Amino acid sequence: MDYEPKKIEQKWQKYWQKNNTFAAIDQTEKEKFYILDMFPYPSGAGLHVGHPRGYTATDFIAKMMQMKGKNVLHPMGWDAFGLPTENYAIKNKVHPEKITTKNIKHFKEQLEIMGLVYDPDREINTTDPNYYKWTQWIFLQLFKKGLAYEAEAPINFCPSCKTGLANEEVENGLCERCHTPVERKKIRQWVLKITAYADRLLEDLDQLDWPQPIKEMQRNWIGKSEGATIKFQIPNSKLQIDVFTTRPDTLFGCTYVVLAPENELINNLKPQIKNWPEVEEYTNDAKNKSELSRIEQKEKTGVKLEGVKAINPVNNEKIPVFVADYVLGDYATGAIMCVPAHDERDFEFAKKFDLPIIEVISKTAKPQQKMEEAYAENGYLINSNEFNEIKNEKAKKKIIKWLKEKNLADFTTTYKLRDWIFSRQRYWGEPIPIVHCEKCGLVPLNEKDLPLKLPHVNHYEPTGTGESPLAGISDWVNTTCPKCDGKAKRETNTMPQWAGSSWYYLRYIDPKNKQKLIDGKKEKYFMPVNLYVGGAEHAVLHLLYARFWHKVLYDLKIVSTLEPFQKLVNVGIILAPDGKKMSKSLGNVINPDALIKKYGADSFRLYEGFIGPFRERLSWDEKGIVGARRFLDRFYNLLKKEDRHENNKKIELKINQLIEKVENDIADFNFNTAISSLMEFVNLAQKNNLNKKEKEIIVKLLAPFAPHLCEEIWQEWGNKTSIFQSYWPKLDKENLRGAEITLIVQINGKTRGSLKIDANSDQKNAENAVEKDTRLSQHLGNNQKIIFVKTPQKPIAILNIIKKV
RNA sequence: GCCAGGGUGGUGGAAUCGGUAGACACGAAGGACUUAAAAUCCUUUGACGCUGAAAACGUCGUGCGGGUUCGAGUCCCGCCCCUGGUACCA
């Protein structure tokens, strides 16, 4: 009988489901292994061949770990709140809840036909009230701790999505989701104080086994800089300008000060400003500009505040004050001291406005003839009175200490990270469990009243006015205050998509718990996630938010680990055969269903692993899957061949090496080389036949990749339980090296031939072997050096004969 | 601009504590089987040279140019190109 995937695959998928073959156990002596995929957003388009790359990878590892005796938790769920579903619902006039249910069903079927069977009891769905009850519960804890607050400040607003966005959701001035230029708009918002955790989010990165680039991106996003805040007094006024700088050592070279257009101080200085109309026009212009156009504009602009001066505290010089949009309103104090001699941007601005450039740092402690560009390197102070000739790094501290005594400066630290804009003016999200009471103000709902269910309505179009569509549902909005029973209105904003995904990994551990978010004992057993696999696109969104919430939960003693995800591996994206990203609009999406129908799930899985290095981006090539299928045919036929009864040293050695190779490669995500070594072995075995024991070994080694076929063979052999309940082949560590090695003969470093010699040979033996070889022996002779090297890692030795030229 | 990763056959890729470059697979060419085709199996497949042909042999070859070494895809110096991230953060 031939290998026919259609006949066996469904059978085993049902079998695994029925027998809960891949379900983790809550209480056991076994060591746990928690392996997690970034759960998918169940979109209407379904899965393409890119998605399963990560899911099959975790499945390979999970299955091997299970066979190695671990209690493996490998769950799956649905991140289902959010805009794509809502937009689709509006367009097609179907309720998002219906669409979500349908999409999840479709996704599940797609995963199942790939042999991706998960524990159904642990499935979660962020839109399920039993789930989002706890998302809301976490929000209440954040509120009670003062980590959630209301603010009315200019924020990023996407005019297409008609909602406010977090800073993390803006890419180059465009909305991360729909690529519409983002506007600045003043809307009442809920904000989470992620900045309170900035230091911990930064420091704890060190303990994580994550890809360096991802850690670096988070570090840069948090953007900690240590420096000083310096006060510049304004003459004839009680006002002063606070500036933040990391270069207090250059203070003597500060020749002007610049305020951001958003800086409140400009309004306060209005009576003194002689050119107010000009200043007002400039600031209004800058404030209304989209972030995109502010980034695009290359040349520096600005307006001098006529009639206003600032006093440089180190030398009491009166220097001019400008407003310019190259200074950001929401970073540090929104004002800078400018040292054109030592800052490229200030240099450019000073040239344009013809401002003095004073050199205060010099590499040689001597002034340059003429400054052609800003000098931003280290050096010695000059033109800086008593600080002259001091190294600039040292001078930083000295100058601030000196000014601190006069109460004119202090050491400060600033972060790039801003608080998390958390509310969305959209329907399809978790309602925020807060009421606005006429008497009591903001009042959180009682925990026992959770979940606060999203009202089921027929109209959920975004209003675009800054209000959520929920605001129009008066019988839901009007409620009573949980505190005083008086009249109150519900908060109508909803949570962003990131809310549900910021803690889902915890709920898999205890999905049905009605009393608590998670049981403490279970949490201690299963956390942290040992291995987290997903795309790099979440480097500073999901991964930062989840770490933040986890730390809050840690402080609340709900979780016991400082970090949620111990090890992170990024899956490389799969491009369409044309080398472009797969997208519906380009029409280059490859759907796995048809491939599975044609070649079978096992071939598909095998090719997902074989296609190339897991972490790298690769183009999909449908022809490649043919090779996977051919291999499975050959594999099946090999097992059908008669058992070998005599000994075969070569096969015995190779199969032992194969166990080591496959095991290590799966653990290191080198699925491509694990599979190629299996192919190599099968090619070899075809000429030699295998005995029963060897057949058993290779079926087990292939089982994580081709579970259906291997389960079929396994149970055909009369085993009554799943192959995944059997044990992974044992490696014979003593016998990994053969009795023979290859001697590579080089002349002056160039390979001229190779011989087989005994593994224990020394140089003398090797030379003797060469001497016996008629062709190679001619190179041996006097007046030469011979280098003999044995490489411990490979079964080779090198004999390099160096001839004098 | 800055940060990170990467450039290896016709293609995907393998080999990086320096040691046979091109494993494995796709594609291609030839052959066997077949009335034929598909499937399967076998052989060949980096470029060039030498040769009637083959074996054998030689030269070159891992983005480019140098260097270290008996020996470099791998290490060092200087460039080029591609991909991702980031963008006036004071």
Side-chain angles (χ1 to χ4, degrees), chain A residues 188-251:
Chain A
R188 180 188 65 87
Q189 294 284 346
W190 280 94
V191 185
L192 300 188
K193 220 185 242 174
I194 190 171
T195 52
Y197 283 72
D199 261 321
R200 287 165 68 185
L201 287 167
L202 185 67
E203 276 165 29
D204 292 347
L205 280 172
D206 293 340
Q207 54 173 284
L208 296 177
D209 182 8
W210 283 20
Q212 283 307 326
I214 301 285
K215 289 207 222 179
E216 210 43 46
M217 278 161 76
Q218 290 216 353
R219 278 191 198 107
N220 292 338
W221 192 263
I222 295 166
K224 182 177 183 172
S225 35
E226 288 175 344
T229 304
I230 299 170
K231 293 175 186 174
F232 284 66
Q233 307 287 348
I234 296 171
N236 314 319
S237 162
K238 282 176 186 163
L239 299 168
Q240 61 182 29
I241 301 171
D242 284 348
V243 306
F244 174 74
T245 182
T246 55
R247 294 297 305 275
D249 50 318
T250 63
L251 196 48

Side-chain angles (χ1 to χ4, degrees), chain A residues 721-758:
Chain A
T721 54
S722 168
I723 188 167
F724 300 104
Q725 265 134 30
S726 77
Y727 283 95
W728 189 249
K730 209 167 173 316
L731 180 69
D732 177 4
K733 280 186 184 159
E734 303 299 309
N735 292 309
L736 280 168
R737 299 282 160 252
E740 264 190 344
I741 57 172
T742 305
L743 179 74
I744 295 145
V745 183
Q746 299 181 331
I747 313 298
N748 292 340
K750 285 190 181 178
T751 304
R752 284 297 127 100
S754 64
L755 303 164
K756 291 274 178 204
I757 58 167
D758 190 275

Side-chain angles (χ1 to χ4, degrees), chain A residues 268-280:
Chain A
N268 300 341
L269 286 166
K270 189 178 171 183
Q272 288 184 51
I273 299 173
K274 289 182 183 149
N275 56 340
W276 178 251
E278 195 189 351
V279 170
E280 192 180 29

Side-chain angles (χ1 to χ4, degrees), chain A residues 646-688:
Chain A
E646 65 277 14
N647 289 347
N648 185 325
K649 278 262 167 352
K650 192 174 175 187
I651 293 282
E652 282 156 25
L653 176 68
K654 288 274 178 195
I655 203 163
N656 195 32
Q657 289 170 341
L658 185 68
I659 298 171
E660 187 191 35
K661 173 87 178 151
V662 171
E663 190 174 318
N664 291 341
D665 280 358
I666 290 179
D668 294 340
F669 284 81
N670 295 323
F671 312 115
N672 52 335
T673 50
I675 293 165
S676 78
S677 60
L678 281 161
M679 287 172 167
E680 246 176 288
F681 183 81
V682 167
N683 291 344
L684 174 80
Q686 266 174 332
K687 292 162 195 145
N688 294 274

Side-chain angles (χ1 to χ4, degrees), chain A residues 13-28:
Chain A
Q13 285 156 17
K14 296 236 163 78
Y15 172 91
W16 296 324
Q17 255 163 7
K18 206 179 115 219
N19 291 285
N20 265 333
T21 310
F22 304 115
I25 311 158
D26 279 340
Q27 277 174 347
T28 168

Side-chain angles (χ1 to χ4, degrees), chain A residues 22 25 70 107 111 117 155 166 190 219 279 326 347 385 389 397 405-406 498 599 618 627 633 702 715 738 746 766:
Chain A
F22 304 115
I25 311 158
K70 295 268 167 65
F107 262 63
L111 291 176
V117 172
I155 57 138
W190 280 94
R219 278 191 198 107
V279 170
Y326 82 94
F347 187 86
N385 296 350
E389 288 175 36
K397 278 185 191 160
E405 278 165 24
K406 302 187 197 171
W498 311 107
Y599 299 101
L618 297 165
D633 282 327
L702 186 68
Q715 303 214 14
Q746 299 181 331

Side-chain angles (χ1 to χ4, degrees), chain A residues 359-523:
Chain A
E359 190 186 9
V360 290
I361 309 282
S362 160
K363 204 171 180 177
T364 54
K366 289 205 178 86
Q368 291 178 29
Q369 289 297 325
K370 202 180 165 193
M371 293 204 83
E372 300 288 347
E373 56 180 3
Y375 176 76
E377 311 289 312
N378 287 327
Y380 297 89
L381 266 63
I382 55 172
N383 298 326
S384 300
N385 296 350
E386 66 257 53
F387 299 98
N388 279 343
E389 288 175 36
I390 299 175
K391 272 191 181 171
N392 72 313
E393 284 295 335
K394 221 174 170 183
K396 283 183 183 178
K397 278 185 191 160
K398 285 204 164 183
I399 291 176
I400 295 306
K401 270 190 187 158
W402 176 60
L403 287 176
K404 196 178 170 177
E405 278 165 24
K406 302 187 197 171
N407 201 20
L408 286 169
D410 208 345
F411 297 101
T412 47
T413 301
T414 303
Y415 299 87
K416 237 174 94 176
L417 183 71
R418 325 258 166 90
D419 277 343
W420 176 9
I421 308 286
F422 191 70
S423 45
R424 298 291 178 272
Q425 292 72 52
R426 299 287 302 223
Y427 170 73
W428 193 230
E430 300 89 344
I432 291 175
I434 297 280
V435 302
H436 301 258
C437 172
E438 285 170 7
K439 272 193 233 154
C440 320
L442 291 175
V443 181
L445 292 192
N446 289 320
E447 287 179 15
K448 67 171 171 52
D449 294 332
L450 297 181
L452 169 61
K453 285 196 187 164
L454 188 61
H456 194 93
V457 291
N458 295 321
H459 298 284
Y460 28 76
E461 286 80 0
T463 61
T465 59
E467 284 236 73
S468 153
L470 292 177
I473 310 164
S474 53
D475 55 345
W476 185 77
V477 172
N478 294 308
T479 184
T480 50
C481 171
K483 216 170 173 181
C484 71
D485 248 1
K487 269 191 184 173
K489 282 183 188 297
R490 288 195 193 282
E491 170 60 53
T492 57
N493 282 316
T494 54
M495 298 189 199
Q497 219 203 311
W498 311 107
S501 60
S502 292
W503 70 281
Y504 74 112
Y505 54 92
L506 291 172
R507 196 60 178 173
Y508 285 129
I509 294 171
D510 197 6
K512 302 264 162 81
N513 198 327
K514 289 220 158 95
Q515 271 69 49
K516 285 175 167 183
L517 187 153
I518 185 171
D519 173 75
K521 252 190 194 162
K522 292 180 184 170
E523 184 277 328

Side-chain angles (χ1 to χ4, degrees), chain A residues 607-623:
Chain A
Y607 183 58
E608 286 275 354
F610 186 66
I611 184 166
F614 181 73
R615 296 167 177 86
E616 256 140 71
R617 59 153 57 196
L618 297 165
S619 299
W620 181 265
D621 176 12
E622 189 181 329
K623 286 178 194 142

